[in-house]
Amino acid sequence: MVVLAASVVSKSGKVLVSRQFVDMSRIRIEGLLAAFPKLVGTGKQHTYVETENVRYVYQPIEALYLLLVTNKQSNILEDLDTLRTLSKLVPEYSMSLDEEGICKTAFELIFAFDEVIALGHKENVTVAQVKQYCEMESHEEKLHKLVMQSKINETKDVMKRKASEIDKSKIEKNRGDKGGFMSLQSMGSGRIDSSFNDLSISSTGSGFGSGSNFGLSTEVDSFSTKSKGRAPSAATAPPKGLGMQLGKSQRTNQFLESLKAEGEVILEDVQPKAGQSRSAAPPPTDPVTLTVEEKLNVTLKRDGGVGNFDVQGTLSLQILNQEDAHIQVQIETGGNPSILFKTHPNMNKELFSNENILGLKDPNRPFPTGQTGDASGVGLLKWRMQSTDEAMVPLTINCWPSVSGSETYVSIEYEASAMFDLRNVVVSVPLPALREAPGVRQIDGEWRYDSRNSILEWSILLIDNSNRSGSMEFVVPAADSSIFFPISVRFSATNTFSDLKVVNILPLRGGTPPKFSQRTQLVTENYQVV
């Protein structure tokens, strides 16, 4: 027996599910299925129809037909046995025996048909075996998962028990070391006194004894441990408006609290603020830090030319200590006439225009200090540059797709300007929907295929004088050239278009100028080839 195809067909002739088992053209199979409704007669008792070349063996299932298309040399008894097995499988996978129910479970039915019929011949399997094969259940896998879950639960129990023991020993130690007495100064003043930065808490004044059981000893000791782990430069004035709340302290992780009680310093103790980026620069260590950042927005045309070129830059100031806040910043720019500078409204515009010095209008007023607010500091100066000159573009991308037969060959090349050394360059090329990764024939750098978004990412770690140009070539199935656009590019650089530099820090109250550092970077915000 050779089964050519197994199908579920509605009585109106619509093919709902069809599985082909031999090497035949799709047009041939569709023609055989289209001829079946015309051959089925009403009132006949037998459930097969023979034509000149094939035999249709079918079984009515409510408003549907379960159909086998076989050759005429096949054994009719084996055909009926195969049909009987398939008829038991259809209700197992389809909740409702109508067109909607069959279409919803079409893939499950096709997989089940494959387990019953292989290369046109029936397999000796039962309905239960077919379901087991399709579900791919494994006793070893279930056992492995149970063992892993048991280990995880056991580890959690040990961790809780250990944390409880540490907490108990910590409380015992606090009672023994501090004599059972604690005091809090300035209760209700709306702020936490800076004496909490020390591990030892003063017992003078009218405080609470341990016998009052206000639940303060554990929480105060935990706060002291956190303060101990901070950098010395971050120990500025304590935040205002944070009063002590009795009996409402919440522990989010007992295990971490226990580690802190043993003297461990947890670096990620303070949660990042809502507006702070996860990829922000490391916290400053110098008393004064100035950050020069330029964001690049460029749109290049695929046939050449610049559609949009826009550079927006900012100069930000961050001061750690209050005693360094009465200063002025002297800068120098690259002298590019196409760059327009604008100072902050609180800055002295005449002083900047005449001497390139950034200072407040009121010289007696200090700059904001600390690491509160924006992670990059306080903005002092902004600038913008626009151009249509293609020579100003730091990186150009040329894409050449060409169709050859059933394949598309795509060649991409980059050319970098000598003005900048570019770091962490990533060129993202959209691709048509593919079943497997594209075939990369040649590449300068590395590549990665994002199958979920169907994007090919070409990455170059550094572009300098040794590799100002490079290329990549890959092959995909035949596709329209517009599929590969827009191409997105991202990179960073340590140089900027403005070439702005901080020359000096001028203290307004005399003394030695505070030590300062400058951070400079150029990043892409929206860089595309369309």
Side-chain angles (χ1 to χ4, degrees):
M1 146 185 156
V2 176
V3 178
L4 306 181
S7 306
V8 179
V9 185
S10 67
K11 291 191 175 180
S12 61
K14 181 179 179 181
V15 179
L16 305 179
V17 177
S18 180
R19 180 67 173 99
Q20 179 180 340
F21 297 103
V22 295
D23 188 13
M24 291 181 62
S25 65
R26 178 180 175 181
I27 297 177
R28 172 64 174 159
I29 292 293
E30 290 179 350
L32 293 175
L33 294 177
F36 171 70
K38 303 175 184 178
L39 300 175
V40 177
T42 59
K44 293 184 179 181
Q45 297 298 322
H46 56 77
T47 57
Y48 71 93
V49 176
E50 289 188 355
T51 64
E52 183 179 355
N53 299 316
V54 298
R55 176 188 296 144
Y56 297 94
V57 184
Y58 61 95
Q59 176 178 334
I61 304 178
E62 296 187 2
L64 308 173
Y65 285 117
L66 178 60
L67 172 65
L68 290 181
V69 182
T70 69
N71 56 10
K72 296 182 67 174
Q73 291 75 29
S74 66
N75 190 327
I76 186 65
L77 297 178
E78 291 185 4
D79 295 344
L80 293 174
D81 184 55
T82 304
L83 188 66
R84 190 179 304 109
T85 303
L86 295 182
S87 65
K88 295 178 182 178
L89 285 173
V90 173
E92 290 287 339
Y93 288 95
S94 180
M95 299 300 295
S96 59
L97 298 177
D98 53 14
E99 293 188 14
E100 183 179 0
I102 296 296
C103 291
K104 284 183 178 180
T105 57
F107 287 106
E108 289 80 359
L109 289 173
I110 290 176
F111 295 150
F113 289 176
D114 282 340
E115 297 297 334
V116 177
I117 304 172
L119 300 177
H121 300 277
K122 181 181 182 300
E123 296 286 339
N124 188 19
V125 292
T126 63
V127 174
Q129 289 176 330
V130 171
K131 293 186 66 176
Q132 182 180 1
Y133 297 157
C134 291
E135 293 174 1
M136 297 173 59
E137 292 185 354
S138 171
H139 177 71
E140 289 79 8
E141 181 182 2
K142 289 181 179 180
L143 183 61
H144 175 72
K145 289 182 178 179
L146 290 175
V147 172
M148 292 301 296
Q149 187 62 41
S150 176
K151 291 182 179 180
I152 292 173
N153 295 336
E154 183 180 355
T155 305
K156 288 182 179 179
D157 293 339
V158 173
M159 183 182 68
K160 290 179 180 179
R161 190 163 54 250
K162 184 66 175 176
S164 178
E165 294 175 359
I166 294 174
D167 284 341
K168 290 179 181 179
S169 62
K170 173 184 168 184
I171 295 174
E172 297 281 340
K173 182 180 178 181
N174 289 339
R175 289 176 179 174
D177 293 344
K178 300 177 183 179
F181 291 93
M182 301 180 59
S183 68
L184 299 178
Q185 300 178 351
S186 304
M187 285 295 294
S189 61
R191 59 179 293 178
I192 301 172
D193 196 88
S194 60
S195 62
F196 278 87
N197 291 331
D198 298 328
L199 281 173
S200 60
I201 302 177
S202 174
S203 60
T204 60
S206 57
F208 294 102
S210 62
S212 60
N213 196 20
F214 272 82
L216 293 176
S217 62
T218 303
E219 298 305 319
V220 171
D221 197 45
S222 175
F223 180 83
S224 303
T225 307
K226 294 179 183 178
S227 300
K228 181 181 176 182
R230 293 177 183 168
S233 59
T236 58
K240 298 181 179 181
L242 298 177
M244 178 69 74
Q245 296 180 355
L246 301 180
K248 293 185 179 179
S249 178
Q250 180 181 4
R251 299 183 192 178
T252 58
N253 194 318
Q254 294 182 355
F255 186 67
L256 291 181
E257 292 290 340
S258 303
L259 291 178
K260 296 171 194 173
E262 293 182 339
E264 296 289 339
V265 178
I266 306 301
L267 297 180
E268 298 182 0
D269 186 57
V270 180
Q271 295 294 331
K273 300 177 182 177
Q276 185 175 354
S277 173
R278 293 184 179 178
S279 60
T285 56
D286 294 316
V288 179
T289 303
L290 294 112
T291 304
V292 178
E293 183 182 58
E294 288 186 348
K295 295 182 179 179
L296 189 59
N297 293 274
V298 175
T299 303
L300 302 175
K301 301 177 181 178
R302 68 182 73 175
D303 298 327
V306 179
N308 176 52
F309 182 88
D310 181 72
V311 179
Q312 297 183 10
T314 57
L315 172 63
S316 302
L317 170 68
Q318 192 166 9
I319 304 174
L320 294 182
N321 304 316
Q322 186 70 29
E323 57 268 19
D324 299 326
H326 293 84
I327 59 172
Q328 292 179 340
V329 181
Q330 184 178 7
I331 65 171
E332 72 176 20
T333 61
N336 191 336
S338 60
I339 298 180
L340 302 177
F341 292 92
K342 288 186 178 181
T343 59
H344 191 276
N346 292 333
M347 306 301 293
N348 190 331
K349 291 181 170 54
E350 294 183 359
L351 184 64
F352 173 72
S353 300
N354 298 330
E355 304 180 34
N356 275 353
I357 294 178
L358 295 168
L360 294 173
K361 292 180 180 178
D362 184 3
N364 296 322
R365 179 181 174 184
F367 281 105
T369 60
Q371 298 187 23
T372 58
D374 191 356
S376 61
V378 181
L380 304 182
L381 187 67
K382 290 185 178 182
W383 60 92
R384 186 173 184 179
M385 182 184 73
Q386 293 181 321
S387 175
T388 57
D389 186 6
E390 194 170 0
M392 299 294 294
V393 178
L395 184 68
T396 58
I397 304 292
N398 295 317
C399 180
W400 303 87
S402 60
V403 179
S404 177
S406 60
E407 295 179 327
T408 298
Y409 292 82
V410 182
S411 298
I412 301 179
E413 62 179 1
Y414 72 83
E415 293 184 6
S417 170
M419 294 187 298
F420 301 101
D421 289 345
L422 307 181
R423 303 175 185 274
N424 301 320
V425 182
V426 178
V427 181
S428 301
V429 184
L431 302 180
L434 303 176
R435 293 185 177 179
E436 55 186 15
V440 178
R441 302 292 181 86
Q442 181 270 331
I443 187 170
D444 295 328
E446 298 180 352
W447 66 278
R448 185 181 74 90
Y449 176 57
D450 183 358
S451 58
R452 175 173 297 181
N453 300 312
S454 192
I455 292 177
L456 177 63
E457 293 185 350
W458 175 20
S459 59
I460 305 100
L461 190 62
L462 175 65
I463 297 180
D464 54 13
N465 291 329
S466 63
N467 58 342
R468 292 294 177 189
S469 62
S471 61
M472 175 181 66
E473 182 179 358
F474 62 90
V475 182
V476 296
D480 187 75
S481 61
S482 61
I483 293 291
F484 307 100
F485 296 92
I487 299 174
S488 300
V489 185
R490 64 179 185 270
F491 57 81
S492 63
T494 56
N495 297 333
T496 58
F497 285 91
S498 63
D499 199 20
L500 188 146
K501 292 182 177 62
V502 178
V503 179
N504 199 5
I505 299 295
L506 308 175
L508 296 179
R509 295 187 175 181
T512 304
K515 184 180 178 181
F516 73 94
S517 62
Q518 177 179 337
R519 299 173 178 174
T520 304
Q521 66 172 351
L522 171 71
V523 296
T524 55
E525 190 173 47
N526 186 14
Y527 202 110
Q528 288 187 333
V529 181
V530 298

